[in-house]
Amino acid sequence: MSSEPTMRIITQDTVGGPEVLYLTQAPRPAPLPTEVLVRVRSAGVNPVDWKTRQGGGMAAVLGDPPFSVGWDVSGVVEEVGFGVHTLKAGDEVYGMPWFPRQAGAYGEYVTAPSRHFARKPAALDHDHAAAVPLAALTAWQCLVDAAHVEAGRRVLIHAAAGGVGHFAVQFAKHLGAQVIGTARAAKHDWLRSLGADELVDYTQERFEEAVRDVDVVIDLVGDEHDATSTRSLRTLRPGGTLIAVPSGASPELMEAARAQGVRASGFLVEPGGAALARIGGLVDEGAVSVEVEDVLPLAEAAEAHRRGEEGRTRGKLVLRVAS
């Protein structure tokens, strides 16, 4: 009988619907030099998780099943490998380790380079901290690194009430931009409280007819849904930028953008402990809030995916891995 330590983890043996996810036991990882072993307290649930589970998303990176999805974690450092100087055992941390490679965040332990993590914001419990990394890094890197948003810019954010969107609204406002968001009317008051200046109910009017002279569009919907990226080109002023997140920028979209005198770009988020440290500072200052719609136990990962795929979540869904 093996004495190797094990852990609980959600995995899948085939691609498919939420029902392919199941809870099992796996060997507990050990940190290599420059890595830390983190005991996961909570794991965030993101659209890329269920897209990967279905065979899209990052499935091509992970290879054939079996594999384990999930990249958002908040937990406690259990052990540090040789060469780690920024963290120590007992530190509370959060991060998006290894993306787009497998991280296994829906499990009791993960290992990753120490600089994939940052100290958890003191203002947040683990459930709320786990909702931050992938969504917040996506919003931050889109606005700061890809679009170079500055004070006075007009920024249109599609799916403003979602996981990435509600961070993008707050970050754009923090950067001094004028923020326009698309969302159902029921979420408008909440988005105004986060800093949105203008809001469009996309179920009642065509956003491209209501919005003009935008400098930057952050499209979190994609051309797969009612040609949102292509329609967004009409809202941009000459020289403007469209960042197409879920669908990327197809050759057709990029050509249409060039013909209109604007730029279209795809985007994929990267791990970033330094950016998470800065974001955590904004959270602790009270400049950024984190919305968690619900917290489910790890064993209910399939239910979390079902609810997330409905596309009506306000903020994030989170799995509680350990109390």
Side-chain angles (χ1 to χ4, degrees), residues 24-265:
T24 188
Q25 294 282 328
R28 194 177 87 179
L32 297 173
T34 76
E35 293 184 348
V36 292
L37 172 69
V38 174
R39 183 179 184 189
V40 179
R41 296 284 295 276
S42 302
V45 178
N46 295 286
V48 70
D49 299 0
W50 58 76
K51 291 176 182 178
T52 301
R53 185 209 73 226
Q54 295 167 342
M58 297 299 113
V61 176
L62 300 188
D64 294 333
F67 55 64
S68 296
V69 299
W71 285 273
D72 270 346
V73 302
S74 182
V76 180
V77 175
E78 188 107 336
E79 185 182 343
V80 301
F82 175 78
V84 174
H85 302 288
T86 56
L87 296 171
K88 64 183 185 306
D91 284 344
E92 294 186 311
V93 296
Y94 73 146
M96 186 193 72
W98 290 121
F99 189 84
R101 299 188 183 198
Q102 179 168 293
Y106 295 6
E108 291 182 305
Y109 292 90
V110 299
T111 54
S114 63
R115 295 178 190 272
H116 286 191
F117 298 94
R119 284 180 171 80
K120 178 182 74 65
L124 300 181
D125 59 22
H126 285 289
D127 292 337
H128 285 76
V132 175
L134 192 148
L137 283 172
T138 298
W140 184 267
Q141 292 172 11
C142 278
L143 292 163
V144 175
D145 300 333
H148 309 293
V149 169
E150 299 175 343
R153 302 291 189 184
R154 281 171 55 81
V155 177
L156 171 61
I157 299 165
H158 290 305
V164 176
H166 87 290
F167 285 117
V169 168
Q170 296 177 85
F171 294 158
K173 196 65 178 178
H174 172 73
L175 294 167
Q178 184 180 13
V179 183
I180 308 154
T182 63
R184 290 173 178 265
K187 298 174 181 177
H188 284 193
D189 287 345
W190 172 58
L191 288 168
R192 287 189 187 95
S193 76
L194 297 183
D197 299 292
E198 301 175 33
L199 291 158
V200 177
D201 182 350
Y202 64 91
T203 69
Q204 300 299 315
E205 58 183 328
R206 303 288 281 182
F207 66 81
E208 69 270 29
E209 297 172 359
V211 181
R212 285 287 184 275
D213 297 323
V214 169
D215 295 291
V216 173
V217 176
I218 305 298
D219 179 17
L220 304 171
V221 177
D223 255 348
E224 296 173 356
H225 299 276
D226 202 18
T228 299
S229 291
T230 298
R231 291 163 51 208
S232 295
L233 296 177
R234 292 174 54 186
T235 70
L236 287 165
R237 60 178 45 150
T241 298
L242 165 69
I243 307 296
V245 179
S247 306
S250 67
E252 294 79 12
L253 177 65
M254 295 179 70
E255 179 56 35
R258 283 192 292 269
Q260 194 171 301
V262 299
R263 180 174 73 95
S265 173

